[in-house]
Structures are given as structure tokens and as C-alpha cells.
Amino acid sequence: MSDAVRVRFAPSPTGFLHIGGVRAALFNWLYARHNGGKFLLRIEDTDLERSETRYTDDILASMKWLGLNWDEEPIYQSKRLDVYRKKAEELIERGQAYRCTCTEAEVEAMREKATAAGKKPKYDGTCREKKIKAGDKPFVIRTKLPLDGYCEFQDLIRGTVRVNNEELDDFVIVRSSGAPTYNLSVVVDDVESRMTHVIRGDDHINNTPKQFHLYQFFKYQVPKFAHLPMILGADKKKLSKRHGAVSANLYRMEGYLPETMLNFLARIGWSHGDQEIFTKEEMIQYFDFDHVQKASGVFNHEKLLWLNGEHMRKAAPARLAEIAAQDFAEHFKGAAELDRARSPIGHQLVALIQPKVKLVKELVEQLVPLCTPGAVEVDPSGLKWQKDPALKTATQNAIKHAHQAFEAKIKDRISVTRQGADEVWGTVPSLGDVGLTHTDVDAILRQTGESHGVKLGDLAQPLRLWVTGRMVSAGLFDLMTVLPWDVVGPRLLKAAQA
Ligand code: GLU
């Protein structure tokens, strides 16, 4: 057996991929990548009633979105039911398992009896030595565990864990329907896939001693384990739907970046000094189990949002534009507008907006009106001039003159050929194209304002609303130098006539 690390993520497709699952996948992936090992994906879909294809699709799509790439072909347990049954038969032949014809009611009665006697509720071994053959009577297959002694395994987070065999009972590995139980299929596959480590949520800690014995029965060196502490909600209760979004895909729709989710989930329970912001490469470089804490970690929404803002700032504008166009076209006004974000002007707009927002969704909210040709509908009720008709007239006159001043600069220039422009958006120059900077736009507006007795702030408010379609936006003057005049011009005129 080679020493190279081999680990797996083994989700059951009985629901959408949730945050706890992502963290288990991430820790496996980081450990594999850190050690130059292999990371496998296994879909544990043996529960045919509760497993659904749409959940499998969601798991695969979410893993791809997060960039948690797996090695080798994914394993689907539903295709291997015969293998598990065969392995159970082998155990019977070797005297390590047996058929049991006790009914559910009988087993229940045994448990009640044991509980009443103050003992652990266990199967009492009625069929253990009967060597029952497969016949007419329904049967389950049970393991034949040692009655004394103990099992001991290494956990990379908890250290050495020892459990007395007395604590365990001859658990079922094949149900009367012929379906293998989780404990059997998991070990058969871990053995066949030559797993060196099993990294999973600590809700599985009680299964590990059982699986320990199965590894031994199959003569396989028991893997090392890492049982990851739970993720809790802000109320310190186990994270669940009550705490809001728990499925990975919902975070994507909210406008979180995949690198944020990985960074955030890595930091729940793992640390590297006091560093908070990590690239994927840094996480791979630094990850180890020595710095994974034993205590549960809390899911802190404010921190997640903050972290996304940090990663938004670091992301390349072209990539953010692509995410906006791909992920959000359906949710917002239309694909055509967001497609323009993919153009060089679009990238410049993204670069101006990205430091001011925390979510891709907020970026999109600002991009859509900017990528819409001509004037846009706005709601002017928040404007200061609504309460002051004199201010309104003076401001509108100032805007008219500003429009003329800008138009004069643009006039001499013929159409520009621009990548990503279309017949209605982006064919004419921008103020930036004719050499105007933020400072120039500021100066022209300040001057025009002064000559009409309007302060720059009072002038900028309606301009911002009509140019960006919003009361709050990225830097107005910067946007005005980047946006083509076929967007800015009509909007200034509209503001002057509102
Ligand atoms: N299928 C199990 C689950 O989704 C994981 C089992 C394991 O990692 O051993 O909880």
C-alpha cells in the first residue's frame, strides 16, 4: 500500500449540499492538496427512497462552483449494491457475521428488557451461534463482534479514542430487504478505494468503532480519522434551516464568491496565526489538523458578509463581470444588459463599483442601469429639489449647461470602434475617451453650478440619480468618464427636463 494520502467526501444526496457538507469536503480537499494526495467523491445514494437525482446534481454543481475538484471517477453506491451483499456473505463464511431471523418486535423487546435492567439497550445475541442459512424466513445480517476487549483508533483532532467492545452490539449490515446499511457500504468502499484518512462530521463518531471492526474483518489497516466539530448558529444551536440559508447554492445566488465560502468555512475551526483572509493557495499551503480546534465553531453571518467584501475587492474585474453575467442574468432585468458587463467598458465599471459593495448581487444592481442604453426610469422623490422649486429650476439649468459643455468636448470626435459595444450602447466616445478625468468633470460641474448659484452637492444628487439610476452609487464623476456618451448624454438631458 502506498503512503500517499487518499481521502474522500461522501455526501448522501438526500438534500441540497449544505454548509456542513461543504466544510467536510473542504477539509478533505485541503488535506489531500496539502499532502499531494488524492481527493475522491463518493455519492452515498443507497437510500433509494430518500436519494434524488436533483440533489446529486446540486452536489456536483456546488462542488464545481467552489472549485473543490475531485480525482478519479465519482463512485455511486447505488450501482454497487451487489458488491456490498457479496462482502456480507464473505463475512458470514468467515464467521464474522451471521443471519438473524429475530423480528423487529423481538429486538425491540430485548432492548426494553435491557433498559429496564439498567443495561445498555443491545441485541442479545439470540441468533449469534445458530448458523442460520438463507431460507424462507426473512433475515438480516449482523456482525459478530468480539464480546470483550476494546477498539482504539487515532483521531487527528481528538487524539487516541478507545471504546470498550462491550459498548457495541452485533449491528446490522444487511437489512431484511437485502439493502446494505451505511456502516457496511462505507467500509467496503473505503477499503476498495484505499482510504488512508476519513475526515467527516463528528456526528459520525459513534459509527467509527463499528466501522473499526469491519476494517479489521476485511484485513484493512484502519484509516486515521478526523471528526470535525459541528457548526453552530449564532444561538449556539446546531446550524439548520432555522438559521437561514444553509445550502451552498443559495449563497451563490445571494452573490457570495466561492473563495469567500471556502475561506469562511476553513476558519470555522481552523486557524493560522491571526490571519483571516486567505487565498485558496494559502489555505492549501498552511492547512493541517494541528490547528483544528476540538470545540464547535459558530457561523457568523456578519463576518461572512465582511469577508465577501474583502474578496470582492481582490477579485479581477473581468472575472466579477463574468460571474455577474452568468449567475445573475436570469434574476435581474435581462441578459442583454449584463452581457455588456463583459466588455472593456463593463470591466472598468466593475472596477469602480467593486470596492463599494459586499455582494455580487449588489454589483449587479448597480451594473444593470449603467449597461442599459439611453435614459432610465428613476424615482426622484428623495431629491432635495422636490421641496424647493427654485433650486430645481437653477439645478436643471445648470445641468443643461453642463450637458452643452460636455457635448462640445465630445462633438469633434467621430464614433469609436469598441469591443463589446452594440448599436445602442457604447459606440460613441466617453468623456474619458476625449481626455477628461475625474478632476475635469468635477471642475466643469462645479463651475456650471456656481454660475447658476447651485452647490456641487445639490447638482450631483440629481445627476447621480439620473446617470446611475440610483440614489447611492459608485463614484459619479468616475462613472461619467467611463460610460459612453450615448448613455450619459441622454440621461443629463432627461434630468434637465424632469
Ligand atoms: N454519507 C455520510 C453523510 O452524508 C458520510 C459518511 C462518511 O463520511 O463516512 O453523512
Side-chain angles (χ1 to χ4, degrees), residues 333 337 340 367-378 422-428 465-469 483-495:
K333 228 181 112 201
E337 281 75 20
R340 297 189 179 109
L367 274 176
V368 170
L370 299 177
C371 292
T372 301
V376 286
E377 288 304 317
V378 300
D422 49 50
E423 10 4 299
V424 286
W425 187 88
T427 43
V428 303
L465 179 61
W466 265 280
V467 171
T468 70
L483 282 166
W485 187 245
D486 57 6
V487 174
V488 180
R491 295 184 184 192
L492 295 195
L493 287 180
K494 187 96 189 217

Side-chain angles (χ1 to χ4, degrees), residues 420-442:
D422 49 50
E423 10 4 299
V424 286
W425 187 88
T427 43
V428 303
S430 66
L431 294 174
D433 288 332
V434 299
L436 265 62
T437 61
H438 173 115
T439 321
D440 300 327
V441 173
D442 181 308

Side-chain angles (χ1 to χ4, degrees), residues 137-157:
K137 248 185 146 185
F139 63 86
V140 299
I141 302 178
R142 293 183 178 275
T143 49
K144 193 169 181 182
L145 295 191
L147 298 172
D148 48 21
Y150 59 86
C151 58
E152 191 175 272
F153 57 87
Q154 298 307 316
D155 188 293
L156 299 176
I157 302 170

Side-chain angles (χ1 to χ4, degrees), residues 8-13 18 42 44 77 182 186 190 198-201 203-204 211:
R8 82 302 192 276
F9 174 50
S12 306
H18 60 86
R42 182 169 74 220
E44 303 210 318
Q77 288 194 323
Y182 155 73
V186 102
D190 283 345
V198 169
I199 301 163
R200 59 185 171 199
D203 47 336
H204 282 289
Q211 294 173 11

